[in-house]
Every structure is written in structure tokens, then in C-alpha cells.
Amino acid sequence: MSGAAGCLGTTGGDDVERLEPERELWSFEADGRLPTTPAVASGRIHVASLDRNVYALDPETGEAHWRFETDNAVIAAPAVTDDAAYVASNDGRVYALDVT
């Protein structure tokens, strides 16, 4: 069984209200899927990717401020405080990254 929060309708059909394309403020595309919810802290949006990277994005433009590459896919959302992001990777490591 699976579910998704915030979806409208229960039949699996396309009865979800969609935004018009011109309402998109920006988008960001990594080289791999983004399997987790972004973490927002310290004035940045932090996202993990199956392309082995963690990205810190500008919330106004979507531009990457920095990128950190691990040795394997990152499948868990970063935990972010005011000065650090903690990231677990499938390489068997947990990384503490300075976000300032």
C-alpha cells in the first residue's frame, strides 16, 4: 500500500488540480532522481539525489550554491541546522557538511 500526502482524489485518475505552466517560478534538475523531501534551512533548500550529490539551492532562483558528492546514492533527506547539514549515503557514511 502506498499513499501521497496532499493529493486530491482517490481513484488514481488525473483529477488532481494542476498549476498552469506559467506559474512555475523555477525548476532544478539533477543528474539523478530526487527521492526525498527537500530540507529548508539557513536560507537554502537542501536536496539529496540518486546521482550521489547533495545540493544547496537558492530559494529565489533555484540555482545551486554548492554541491557535495558522496561515494554512492543519497536516499534520505538531509537533516539541516543553522550551520550544518547531516547526510547519510549508501556508501555507509554519514557526512556533516558546513552550510555557512
Side-chain angles (χ1 to χ4, degrees):
M1 177 184 276
S2 66
C7 290
L8 301 175
T10 59
T11 63
D14 196 3
D15 55 352
V16 175
E17 182 179 348
R18 305 208 186 273
L19 292 177
E20 298 298 321
E22 62 271 8
R23 295 199 49 200
E24 179 180 291
L25 299 177
W26 55 262
S27 66
F28 171 80
E29 186 174 340
D31 288 335
R33 281 186 42 236
L34 305 173
T36 67
T37 301
V40 180
S42 302
R44 301 281 184 261
I45 300 168
H46 302 83
V47 293
S49 176
L50 295 183
D51 69 4
R52 306 177 348 176
N53 291 292
V54 177
Y55 298 91
L57 309 178
D58 184 293
E60 297 294 321
T61 66
E63 293 292 319
H65 279 274
W66 55 260
R67 172 182 67 87
F68 178 82
E69 185 174 358
T70 69
D71 289 331
N72 207 318
V74 182
I75 61 170
V80 185
T81 65
D82 287 337
D83 56 358
Y86 301 93
V87 180
S89 172
N90 275 356
D91 63 11
R93 295 184 178 118
V94 174
Y95 297 89
L97 309 174
D98 183 355
V99 298
T100 58

